[in-house]
Amino acid sequence: IHPSYQYVSVPIGVKSEVYITSIDSLNLFYTQLSDQFDALTVLMKLIGEYCNSPEAQPIPYARPGLPVLAQYSFDKEWYRAAMIPPEEPLNEWGVIFVDYGNTEKVNMHLLKSIPPSFLQLPAQAVKCCLDGFPLSRSTDEGIINVFS
């Protein structure tokens, strides 16, 4: 997504306890390693305090992959994200929330610059798929509900 973000690496064959954070299909979902939960919780608290303070700055420019802080529409909290190229209208960009894997369109005024200290913890979303399922973004909703 962007070289400013480091990513969690999970070697093949290693067993880890994870939390499922976002499901697009059985061959595209995201998890977080449970052993990083406490570090992410501390970071999220700092992000919330920063974004609700006068020192939080709007992003100076927009470009695909740019690391930002974005407000999630569901809970109105602030999260680390990377920008995805816009569609119409141009004042809304897509973002991927790098610690969870979900995406949404966000108005430019809901994006803030990310301080370098917030980039130290690697992005926590680990992209996954289940072996043995055909590669497709469309999957039976009932199967996804059972899986989640």
Side-chain angles (χ1 to χ4, degrees):
I1 290 176
H2 193 274
S4 294
Y5 280 114
Q6 298 174 17
Y7 295 90
V8 170
S9 176
V10 181
I12 294 174
V14 172
K15 293 183 180 182
S16 299
E17 184 175 324
V18 299
Y19 301 111
I20 297 173
T21 57
S22 179
I23 302 172
D24 289 343
S25 70
L26 294 178
N27 39 29
L28 178 57
F29 60 94
Y30 293 86
T31 64
Q32 292 173 346
L33 299 174
S34 63
D35 63 356
Q36 293 295 309
F37 184 77
D38 290 341
L40 182 59
T41 300
V42 169
L43 178 61
M44 297 310 303
K45 183 176 186 303
L46 294 171
I47 287 171
E49 290 169 358
Y50 170 79
C51 287
N52 292 308
S53 76
E55 64 185 276
Q57 298 295 311
I59 59 171
Y61 56 87
R63 81 163 184 256
L66 181 70
V68 296
L69 298 171
Q71 190 177 60
Y72 182 43
S73 64
F74 181 74
D75 62 8
K76 306 296 186 221
E77 296 293 332
W78 293 87
Y79 297 91
R80 298 190 303 172
M83 297 182 77
I84 300 171
E87 297 174 9
E88 296 296 328
L90 292 179
N91 66 332
E92 286 189 344
W93 276 68
V95 295
I96 180 167
F97 294 99
V98 300
D99 296 311
Y100 299 90
N102 56 316
T103 61
E104 76 174 5
K105 289 183 182 178
V106 177
N107 194 293
M108 292 292 288
H109 78 276
L110 297 175
L111 299 174
K112 302 209 183 272
S113 293
I114 187 167
S117 63
F118 292 167
L119 296 171
Q120 291 177 354
L121 182 70
Q124 296 297 297
V126 179
K127 190 175 183 178
C128 300
C129 67
L130 290 180
D131 191 25
F133 286 87
L135 294 179
S136 167
R137 293 199 47 94
S138 63
T139 303
D140 182 330
E141 284 293 317
I143 294 173
I144 290 178
N145 288 339
V146 169
F147 180 63
S148 59

